[in-house]
Amino acid sequence: MQEAFDASIRPKLDAIDKVRHHLTEVDIELPAIVVVGDQSSGKSSVLESLSGIGLPRGGNLVTRCPLELALRRGPTESAVLSYTDPNDGSKEISNPIQLAEIPDAVNAATRHLAGDNSGTCAHQPEGESKVILCVLPATADFATQEAIKISRHVDPSGKRTVGVVTKVDLAEPGIKDRLEATGPDHLRLQLGYVAVRSRTGQELKDGVSSVQARDKEAELFRTHPELKLVAQEYKGVPALSRKLVQIQAERIQSHLPELQKQVNNKLRAAEGETRKMQGVISTEAEAEKCLSGLLERMHRRVTGLVQAAPEVADHRDKELHVAPRVYAMLENYKSEVWEAIGGKEYFRSIACHDMLKEHSEEVRGATLPNFVGDRVFNGIFAEQVYSSLKPSAKGLVQIVHKYMADVLWKLTGSTFAAFPRLQTAIKALIQEELDQLAQEATANAMNVIKSEKYVFTNNNAYMKLLNKKKECVMRKQNGHTDEDADARDAKDEDLANLDVLDVGSGNNEQALVDLQLSLAAYTQVVITNLCDSIPKLVRAQLVGKVAKSLSSIIRDGLKL
């Protein structure tokens, strides 16, 4: 069998192995044997029996994620374990280890990758070139096993599925008929079944070798009342090896034309992409010149979009028009701030009046009624206004950051379409720079807002606004309507919508009305200032600085 394998299959396998790394990177399907089976069905034991390589064994969940076992001939026996971490995409490759260390190494790696996950693995044996080894315990109904369902899903006809029946020493009467699928209710596979006996847990502890295990298997098949009647081609690890050699030889031979077709198609596609490039770059100077030209083109495009230059406008994708899109975000910030603190109407409401009243009662008697004190004012401002300012500013930074990332990624994709690896590197640099700028913008915005915790203004607009609000309230309390000429003059800053609060005419109540008007006027001044300073800051950091320094950001990142 070994001579036949070396003569007919080994040269083809060696040829495929030489190009396997390159072909899998471009999604070309290669012949392989895939082992599937339910939990504790004996998958690792079957692989161990076929390959002679020890794998984790146990009564519970052991091998927790897909495992690829690749055997190579070499001068010494050793193994290398490699995997890609799904959390961060990093690839881990171990130093060479001894074969005896493989079970512990695999166990540790799969625990790191899958944790305590016990769900069905989503990795499925798709692809016509793959032979499926469907591992089925003899103690279970074959048709109800999840492994059979997976195999039938990807191989409905069963033409590339081999059933491997494990734990036959524990099988109930009728195992012969099930292996040969002679009954009408038996599950049939075109490639049939092969029964095998693996080492038990106790035999592993006792140090039973693989050679001794094969002897025990042969003894079982000679003495078992049913299994001794099963044809030799349906029982034993050697029979399974012979069947796989034959099947794999046929699959490789039949798949070679399709493999050649896939390679040619990929080659033609790559040649087409090459023709789209701007010519062959053979020297470092040519590469520098090409990159400089592309960076300059992208810089002009970004600058033009930020400045709304008509010559760079793209009417097919108006989301790229940075100036109006960012302006809308900055404009919306004002309404977001007012919404966060309850809206302008809150400061005209009975609820605001009642809150002021509740706080003022705690300082009553310490001052005259019309001097409620700055403690009440400062406390209400901090509670109702200041505490609500930060989330809106952070939200503005986030939305502008995401938008600029989307725009720059699109422009990078179109500018460097002929250089996919360079494109990936530049996108990573842009993302890193934008993330850093967003952090700086957030920190600066928080510092600006932090200064508003100190209740103070030199802005004359505060007193003008407060006096207008008082005048408006007095006119309404005196019976004037909005149609009066004087009242119409007081409509500035939305004053005509102030409610007339029916709160009584006592000293305390009138003092609260004055305090409420002062809070409304001061809040309006603060928000007006913030709605200038915060958007300017965010735009300068995330739009202006990027547009101005884009080329240097990329050059520095690429170390040019």
Side-chain angles (χ1 to χ4, degrees):
M1 183 185 70
Q2 184 65 44
E3 291 178 359
F5 178 83
D6 288 343
S8 62
I9 299 178
R10 174 64 64 186
K12 297 183 179 70
L13 280 179
D14 289 343
I16 288 174
D17 280 339
K18 287 179 181 179
V19 297
R20 181 178 297 275
H21 173 70
H22 302 289
L23 297 185
T24 52
E25 280 190 346
V26 291
D27 297 325
I28 290 182
E29 183 183 313
L30 294 173
I33 298 173
V34 181
V35 181
V36 297
D38 289 34
Q39 179 180 329
S40 301
S41 61
K43 300 181 294 297
S44 296
S45 300
V46 170
L47 276 173
E48 183 182 280
S49 298
L50 289 171
S51 66
I53 303 298
L55 293 170
R57 301 276 293 275
N60 297 317
L61 187 65
V62 180
T63 311
R64 299 162 182 264
C65 56
L67 173 70
E68 180 179 352
L69 181 63
L71 304 180
R72 300 285 186 274
R73 284 188 173 183
T76 59
E77 287 189 350
S78 65
V80 173
L81 186 70
S82 67
Y83 61 86
T84 301
D85 194 320
N87 297 317
D88 57 16
S90 61
K91 189 167 184 177
E92 300 289 337
I93 302 178
S94 74
N95 294 320
I97 59 175
Q98 298 300 312
L99 300 189
E101 299 176 278
I102 291 178
D104 289 340
V106 171
N107 192 35
T110 54
R111 279 186 176 278
H112 168 71
L113 293 172
D116 294 325
N117 176 39
S118 60
T120 300
C121 173
H123 186 79
Q124 297 196 356
E126 298 177 347
E128 286 295 316
S129 68
K130 292 179 173 61
V131 177
I132 304 171
L133 236 59
C134 187
V135 180
L136 305 163
T139 52
D141 182 359
F142 295 168
T144 62
Q145 292 289 285
E146 188 67 28
I148 277 290
K149 295 177 183 178
I150 292 175
S151 300
R152 298 299 285 270
H153 175 70
V154 298
D155 180 30
S157 65
K159 65 181 180 180
R160 55 188 180 92
T161 302
V162 179
V164 182
V165 182
T166 60
K167 305 180 183 180
V168 289
D169 50 332
L170 304 176
E172 295 182 354
I175 184 62
K176 176 179 180 293
D177 293 338
R178 294 171 68 194
L179 287 172
E180 297 176 345
T182 56
D185 297 332
H186 294 151
L187 182 66
R188 292 180 175 83
L189 296 175
Q190 286 190 33
L191 298 180
Y193 296 90
V194 178
V196 298
R197 180 194 180 278
S198 303
R199 286 178 289 183
T200 65
Q202 186 59 48
E203 288 173 347
L204 286 170
K205 291 181 181 178
D206 294 342
V208 174
S209 68
S210 57
V211 174
Q212 291 172 322
R214 297 286 68 78
D215 291 340
K216 288 179 177 288
E217 180 185 64
E219 179 66 19
L220 172 68
F221 292 144
R222 279 196 305 270
T223 59
H224 192 281
E226 286 192 58
L227 294 175
K228 68 181 181 180
L229 303 176
V230 175
Q232 290 297 324
E233 62 185 292
Y234 297 129
K235 59 186 180 183
V237 171
L240 177 60
S241 297
R242 288 192 294 272
K243 180 181 275 291
L244 288 177
V245 167
Q246 179 184 355
I247 293 171
Q248 189 72 334
E250 294 171 354
R251 301 300 296 180
I252 290 175
Q253 190 64 41
S254 64
H255 188 69
L256 282 177
E258 175 61 25
L259 179 60
Q260 185 177 13
K261 180 181 177 181
Q262 290 184 48
V263 171
N264 288 334
N265 289 340
K266 292 289 185 180
L267 180 59
R268 282 192 292 270
E271 289 173 344
E273 290 296 322
T274 302
R275 284 192 293 270
K276 294 178 184 178
M277 295 183 180
Q278 300 173 348
V280 177
I281 299 174
S282 56
T283 67
E284 186 175 334
E286 290 175 349
E288 172 68 23
K289 182 179 179 181
C290 178
L291 179 59
S292 296
L294 292 174
L295 288 177
E296 179 60 27
R297 183 195 307 174
M298 185 172 174
H299 176 75
R300 286 198 305 269
R301 188 88 189 280
V302 172
T303 303
L305 290 170
V306 169
Q307 297 174 353
E311 63 270 17
V312 298
D314 187 346
H315 298 291
R316 295 169 300 176
D317 189 357
K318 292 187 176 181
E319 280 301 306
L320 292 177
H321 295 178
V322 175
R325 300 290 89 78
V326 172
Y327 175 80
M329 298 172 196
L330 303 181
E331 182 72 10
N332 188 57
Y333 170 66
K334 187 172 184 177
S335 60
E336 293 283 346
V337 176
W338 276 114
E339 183 178 346
I341 63 177
K344 291 182 179 180
E345 61 275 6
Y346 173 78
F347 298 97
R348 306 189 297 265
S349 67
I350 294 294
C352 178
H353 182 85
D354 290 343
M355 183 170 65
L356 287 167
K357 184 176 182 179
E358 180 181 346
H359 281 71
S360 66
E361 286 176 349
E362 298 304 315
V363 297
R364 182 178 297 173
T367 63
L368 292 173
N370 63 323
F371 292 102
V372 178
D374 58 359
R375 198 177 98 185
V376 174
F377 185 95
N378 293 352
I380 296 295
F381 178 78
E383 178 181 334
Q384 188 64 32
V385 180
Y386 177 77
S387 62
S388 304
L389 297 176
K390 292 183 180 180
S392 302
K394 291 179 180 178
L396 177 62
V397 172
Q398 290 171 1
I399 193 172
V400 175
H401 170 265
K402 182 180 183 306
Y403 171 73
M404 289 302 297
D406 291 343
V407 168
L408 293 173
W409 274 49
K410 285 183 180 180
L411 294 179
T412 302
S414 60
T415 305
F416 297 91
F419 306 97
R421 291 187 179 180
L422 182 60
Q423 180 185 143
T424 301
I426 290 175
K427 285 181 177 179
L429 290 173
I430 290 174
Q431 187 66 54
E432 182 180 355
E433 181 68 17
L434 280 174
D435 291 347
Q436 179 63 34
L437 291 175
Q439 291 180 7
E440 294 174 5
T442 300
N444 292 337
M446 294 305 101
N447 286 333
V448 171
I449 291 173
K450 189 176 180 179
S451 67
E452 295 297 343
K453 191 172 185 180
Y454 173 48
V455 177
F456 172 81
T457 181
N458 269 331
N459 195 334
N460 293 335
Y462 166 66
M463 288 307 300
K464 290 180 179 179
L465 191 56
L466 177 58
N467 290 334
K468 284 186 177 181
K469 289 180 181 293
K470 288 182 176 180
E471 182 183 357
C472 186
V473 170
M474 289 178 62
R475 289 182 179 280
K476 288 188 174 184
Q477 289 175 335
N478 291 333
H480 292 284
T481 66
D482 287 345
E483 296 304 318
D484 295 339
D486 291 337
R488 284 198 300 270
D489 293 338
K491 286 185 178 180
D492 294 339
E493 306 291 343
D494 198 31
L495 298 179
N497 293 324
L498 282 169
D499 295 336
V500 177
L501 302 177
D502 186 13
V503 295
S505 57
N507 290 334
N508 291 327
E509 297 297 345
Q510 288 302 311
L512 290 178
V513 171
D514 288 344
L515 183 60
Q516 188 167 352
L517 294 176
S518 298
L519 182 62
Y522 183 70
T523 300
Q524 194 160 336
V525 169
V526 168
I527 291 180
T528 299
N529 292 337
L530 286 179
C531 288
D532 279 339
S533 56
I534 299 296
K536 283 180 180 179
L537 185 154
V538 172
R539 189 187 184 284
Q541 197 82 9
L542 289 173
V543 181
K545 185 175 288 190
V546 171
K548 182 179 179 180
S549 308
L550 183 63
S551 294
S552 61
I553 291 170
I554 296 173
R555 285 183 173 277
D556 292 345
L558 296 176
K559 296 181 172 58
L560 298 177

